[in-house]
Amino acid sequence: MNRIRVRPGRRTRLGAAVTAIALALGGCGLGSGENPGAASGPAELSGELKGTITFQTLQLKPTFTDYINGVIARFEEAHPGTEINWVDIPFQGAQEKLTTDATAGTLPDVVNLNPNFAQPLEQKKLFLDLAKVAGDVKDDYVPGAWDAFKVPGADGAYGFPWYLTSEVTMYNADLFAKAGLDRDKPPTTVQELEQYAVKLAAAGRGQFYGLHPALENSFVTTLAKLGVPLLNEQGTKWTFNTPEAVRYVEQLKALYDAKAVPADSLTQDHSKEIEAYQAGKIALFPSGPNFLTIVKENAPKVAAVTKVGPQITGPGGTPNMSVMGLLVPAASKYQKLAVEFAKFITNAENQLAFAKIVTILPSTTASLKDPYFTDTSDGSVESQARKISAEQIAKARNLVPLQFDDRVKKVVIGKVQLAMQGKLSAKDALDQAVDESNQILANNG
Amino acid sequence: MTGRRWYTPWLFLAPALLIAATFSIGPFANTAVLAFTNAKALGGGHFTGLANFIRMGQDDTFWLAMGNTALYVVVCVPLLVTLPLLLALLVQRQVPGIGFFRAVFYSPVVASMVVVGLVWTWLLQSDGLVNWVLQSLQVISGPLPFLTDAQLLLFSAMFVTVWKGLGYYMVVYLAALANVPAELHEAAALDGAGEVRRFWSITVPTIRSTMLLVGILSVIASAKVFAEIYVMSNGSGGPGGQSQSLVFRIRDVGLGLAGETGYASAMSLVLFICTVGFSIIFFRMSRER
């Protein structure tokens, strides 16, 4: 048998190389399609109070498995013929899954989202307008929380508020003492926070600092607290390039120049802030009181010297709150059951039970009146945090505009980082941030 | 051999072709189509002709990412073609214990890029080992901002790419070097050729096709750089996103609930064309030598 050696021609080899590159880069392709789930809210709910629905939560397994299963069991018992299929997805990658589900028209019947995740889906009219179909329970919820699921410039509200967190100021009292600060007097205003940061960093001499800026988490809320108008009234244009905002960015630059914050913190986010606090490298940690549990688990020595104070606020005194909600897609075949279940899981009784196993707050006004939220007799830092955050929730609002999505956030924070490095003036940074954010807003619309 | 049915080879190829068609060729074709639409992550999209490409031309961030990617290719590819070859020549020698060094040089290849990125982040941070050593030796007076200066971050990421790729390409070169005829070296040595002369006149011409392969592979790898920059910048792409690569930009634009799939696809197509272009240039350069 003769062997035939096939020598590929130049074109063949070139073609093969191009194909190989196409295959290697194939992963860059992105899918898209029409929006089969889109529908406007119906006047009446479809389906009966029986059947099987899917309930999707964000990162609650395994810590709260028993609680959620318990609530589901009680609901199924009270409503024979119903079955709730609970699925839990991690926070990481949740946006991608939601995008895929929304595009394919396969969103779960009850879906747990925060307002920023919900906003683009609400704009597509994918969810039931609960102001229409469940307006009877509206007054059960904290007003600021109910409003968090409204679409700017449009009627209706699309989510049952579920659990809330309202930031408290956790601080390392030992580091306070080392800096000659009163162990029982944390900063309460933005201005005081900066003064404390400078004193703490001076005492720390590189070993510890006052705070970690975690700009992606704190910048826009701080602007709101300082009274800077973030958007115009219609919610169609960003407007945060005001003299007040310029002053704040200049103050941030001054902190960075004075080495009052860790050098690498410029591009780091909230997760690194937690790490730094647990490592005893920063003294102040403004965050949700639910993080007390995490600090206790990971850094018991730091937790032992951790104290809490109220949320840092600006002249207006309005604190920020973070909201989680439950939404029902308009495309659900079991709207009646889904709405009933969402009402049930967010009712005062079930939310109070939830708040008793983790340091979160219920969004129902009735549960917040429970003595549990005012009782600090056990002397624990958790009960103090609970009391503080419950007190401030009544006047708190979700200060982060729904339009502040990941892409706007990246542009704004990027410009602030350049201003802190001195590569842009504070004014130019904010002007550019507003321009580019408005372009994103226009492209989204 | 007779009686061979025409479809027999296709049957053998079918599983691989099916996987490639589903997960590579199909998405690639989809990307090419979407590039000419205004598709969003949440559906929709109409044919918009060259609008995405015109927008790209006016998009400063796209050009920043493009420039960073081009710099990445220009710096990393020559290093990834030459350094592993030198390393392979070093560990090719049969001396006791050399297997250990081969394994050590190869070990970064096995580690995930995220892990490698995190390790180098710790080493390069302001209070990390590298700054500590440099300060202890009084080479520098204060810590260098390896992770917060846009240029330094980009070069740090390049260093990690090269460091991680060394072992892989070293093994490729070792296989090629094993095929260099020993008689040629012996004959040249008898004629008085030194090591350097033998390297240029015997080794390099013999392994030229392998160098071409390494060159093209490293062009593709460098053009696609993402993980190093993402991990070392904590997902920020450097201060103000100044160190972002093109893939980083594509991800930012295309992903998420507000993702602009059409525009991101157009950028993907440009990346593809540029990568093919770089590879052809490399191909031509190698042939002309």
Side-chain angles (χ1 to χ4, degrees):
Chain A
M1 191 169 65
N2 289 330
R3 276 192 184 171
I4 301 168
R5 287 189 67 189
V6 180
R7 190 182 164 83
R10 203 173 138 195
R11 284 191 178 186
T12 316
R13 276 181 287 159
L14 203 59
V18 170
T19 312
I21 295 165
L23 295 179
L25 294 175
C28 296
L30 296 153
S32 186
E34 284 303 326
N35 201 354
S40 55
E44 287 204 11
L45 294 173
S46 66
E48 294 176 48
L49 209 52
K50 58 177 68 170
T52 303
I53 57 166
T54 306
F55 167 47
Q56 180 177 286
T57 53
L58 280 172
Q59 207 157 314
L60 295 183
K61 269 183 186 173
T63 319
F64 307 110
T65 302
D66 291 344
Y67 168 75
I68 299 286
N69 280 336
V71 178
I72 289 172
R74 285 203 303 282
F75 182 82
E76 288 173 343
E77 201 181 309
H79 301 87
T82 62
E83 192 182 334
I84 313 296
N85 175 26
W86 176 36
V87 290
D88 186 74
I89 60 168
F91 215 88
Q92 195 102 33
Q95 284 205 53
E96 285 71 28
K97 181 169 187 328
L98 287 165
T99 309
T100 313
D101 286 349
T103 312
T106 54
L107 280 170
D109 300 281
V110 178
V111 54
N112 170 205
L113 298 171
N114 65 27
N116 285 81
F117 278 11
Q119 160 83 357
L121 301 169
E122 288 166 350
Q123 277 181 325
K124 293 269 171 189
K125 298 193 185 303
L126 287 178
F127 297 113
L128 289 179
D129 178 358
L130 301 176
K132 274 187 194 165
V133 300
D136 56 318
V137 291
K138 178 190 166 192
D139 293 336
D140 294 352
Y141 301 98
V142 175
W146 179 266
D147 291 347
F149 290 96
K150 286 182 170 176
V151 175
D155 291 335
Y158 296 87
F160 289 112
W162 194 11
Y163 57 93
L164 314 173
T165 54
S166 185
E167 198 175 282
V168 292
T169 306
M170 291 167 256
Y171 64 98
N172 184 321
D174 275 5
L175 297 184
F176 264 45
K178 281 185 186 170
L181 295 164
D182 188 339
R183 295 176 71 100
D184 296 313
K185 200 167 174 269
T188 54
T189 64
V190 176
Q191 206 176 7
E192 276 181 13
L193 182 71
E194 287 168 2
Q195 289 163 355
Y196 274 58
V198 172
K199 280 184 190 168
L200 284 155
R205 294 167 180 265
Q207 296 302 307
F208 66 86
Y209 296 85
L211 59 89
H212 184 295
L215 291 169
E216 99 292 351
N217 197 40
S218 67
F219 180 73
V220 81
T221 48
T222 306
L223 286 190
K225 287 174 183 176
L226 291 171
V228 174
L230 301 176
L231 284 154
N232 65 4
E233 278 187 19
Q234 298 77 32
T236 51
K237 293 267 182 200
W238 291 98
T239 54
F240 54 82
N241 50 344
T242 65
E244 183 66 50
V246 169
R247 264 196 298 281
Y248 177 58
V249 174
E250 281 168 350
Q251 283 162 6
L252 284 175
K253 179 179 170 8
L255 283 178
Y256 191 68
D257 287 347
K259 298 190 187 337
V261 293
D264 294 330
S265 66
L266 185 74
T267 53
Q268 291 176 343
D269 59 15
H270 187 246
S271 65
K272 295 287 177 188
E273 183 184 17
I274 303 165
E275 281 177 25
Y277 185 75
Q278 290 175 161
K281 289 200 164 184
I282 52 168
L284 285 150
F285 180 39
S287 206
N290 45 324
F291 283 101
L292 283 170
T293 320
I294 295 169
V295 175
K296 208 171 201 174
E297 276 172 14
N298 296 340
K301 283 184 184 169
V302 173
V305 294
T306 292
K307 293 192 164 205
V308 289
Q311 188 177 136
I312 305 288
T313 53
T318 307
N320 182 39
M321 71 164 146
S322 304
V323 189
M324 274 292 183
L326 295 182
L327 294 89
V328 177
S332 169
K333 287 180 189 163
Y334 303 96
Q335 290 175 349
K336 195 173 262 181
L337 174 57
V339 168
E340 199 58 34
F341 177 69
K343 274 185 192 173
F344 181 77
I345 206 156
T346 59
N347 73 23
E349 184 192 344
N350 283 323
Q351 288 213 50
L352 180 63
F354 197 14
K356 284 186 177 174
I357 53 173
V358 58
T359 326
I360 46 139
L361 292 173
S363 59
T364 36
T365 323
S367 0
L368 281 167
K369 288 176 185 155
D370 192 277
Y372 179 70
F373 297 102
T374 48
D375 180 14
T376 56
S377 56
D378 66 357
S380 70
V381 69
E382 285 86 357
S383 64
Q384 287 169 35
R386 192 160 49 234
K387 182 171 183 259
I388 292 169
S389 58
E391 277 168 1
Q392 63 196 26
I393 206 81
K395 55 180 176 175
R397 284 196 302 123
N398 182 19
L399 296 176
V400 183
L402 296 169
Q403 295 89 333
F404 195 68
D405 64 22
D406 283 353
R407 289 176 56 202
V408 175
K409 185 188 288 181
K410 200 149 210 168
V411 164
V412 175
I413 301 310
K415 298 296 177 191
V416 175
Q417 287 166 348
L418 292 176
M420 286 171 72
Q421 281 191 324
K423 291 184 175 165
L424 283 177
S425 72
K427 174 90 175 70
D428 287 349
L430 288 171
D431 285 348
Q432 289 181 18
V434 164
D435 281 350
E436 292 184 26
S437 303
N438 280 334
Q439 278 172 28
I440 293 172
L441 206 56
N443 284 332
N444 284 350
Chain B
M1 208 186 280
T2 56
R4 189 183 288 171
R5 294 185 180 92
W6 67 269
Y7 53 79
T8 308
W10 288 104
L11 282 178
F12 283 106
L13 281 173
L17 278 179
L18 194 68
I19 291 170
T22 311
F23 296 106
S24 295
I25 299 169
F28 180 76
N30 188 28
T31 304
V33 173
L34 288 173
F36 299 93
T37 70
N38 60 356
K40 299 276 174 72
L42 285 176
H46 301 285
F47 179 73
T48 53
L50 296 174
N52 285 330
F53 298 92
I54 294 167
R55 178 178 163 194
M56 222 180 286
Q58 298 156 349
D59 181 350
D60 292 343
T61 316
F62 166 77
W63 287 110
L64 171 79
M66 192 67 159
N68 287 340
T69 305
L71 184 66
Y72 220 94
V73 171
V74 168
V75 173
C76 289
V77 172
L79 292 174
L80 282 171
V81 171
T82 52
L83 291 181
L85 175 58
L86 298 177
L87 207 58
L89 288 168
L90 200 68
V91 298
Q92 184 200 21
R93 292 158 199 266
Q94 295 300 326
V95 289
I98 198 70
F100 170 76
F101 287 100
R102 282 184 201 162
V104 167
F105 291 139
Y106 191 75
S107 59
V109 180
V110 185
S112 121
M113 184 49 95
V114 175
V115 173
V116 167
L118 282 174
V119 169
W120 277 101
T121 303
W122 292 327
L123 291 172
L124 292 171
Q125 63 194 21
S126 300
D127 52 357
L129 186 68
V130 173
N131 266 315
W132 182 80
V133 169
L134 291 175
Q135 280 177 288
S136 303
L137 296 172
Q138 298 190 329
V139 178
I140 51 172
S141 55
L144 287 176
F146 288 110
L147 305 177
T148 51
D149 178 85
Q151 294 303 320
L152 269 179
L153 173 63
L154 202 56
F155 283 107
S156 302
M158 287 174 190
F159 173 80
V160 173
T161 303
V162 172
W163 178 81
K164 191 174 185 312
L166 280 181
Y168 178 75
Y169 297 120
M170 176 193 81
V171 169
V172 175
Y173 277 129
L174 275 175
L177 288 173
N179 288 328
V180 178
E183 319 75 87
L184 284 180
H185 273 285
E186 284 164 15
L190 284 175
D191 287 343
E195 280 210 32
V196 175
R197 178 67 195 268
R198 277 186 279 139
F199 172 74
W200 283 113
S201 303
I202 299 172
T203 309
V204 170
T206 320
I207 63 163
R208 181 183 274 183
S209 59
T210 306
M211 290 175 80
L212 174 65
L213 172 75
V214 170
I216 291 179
L217 288 178
S218 53
V219 164
I220 297 172
S222 305
K224 277 178 30 173
V225 65
F226 170 73
E228 296 90 317
I229 296 175
Y230 187 85
V231 174
M232 294 174 78
S233 69
N234 290 294
S236 68
Q242 297 282 304
S243 315
Q244 63 186 294
S245 65
L246 196 48
V247 173
F248 195 103
R249 179 76 184 142
I250 291 168
R251 178 189 174 277
D252 265 7
V253 171
L255 280 191
L257 289 160
E260 292 182 81
T261 317
Y263 188 42
S265 298
M267 285 194 274
S268 301
L269 204 59
V270 169
L271 171 63
F272 168 72
I273 291 164
C274 290
T275 313
V276 172
F278 263 124
S279 303
I280 291 173
I281 291 169
F282 209 85
F283 196 72
R284 289 265 164 87
M285 275 168 56
S286 306
R287 287 178 61 84
E288 280 164 12
R289 267 182 206 157

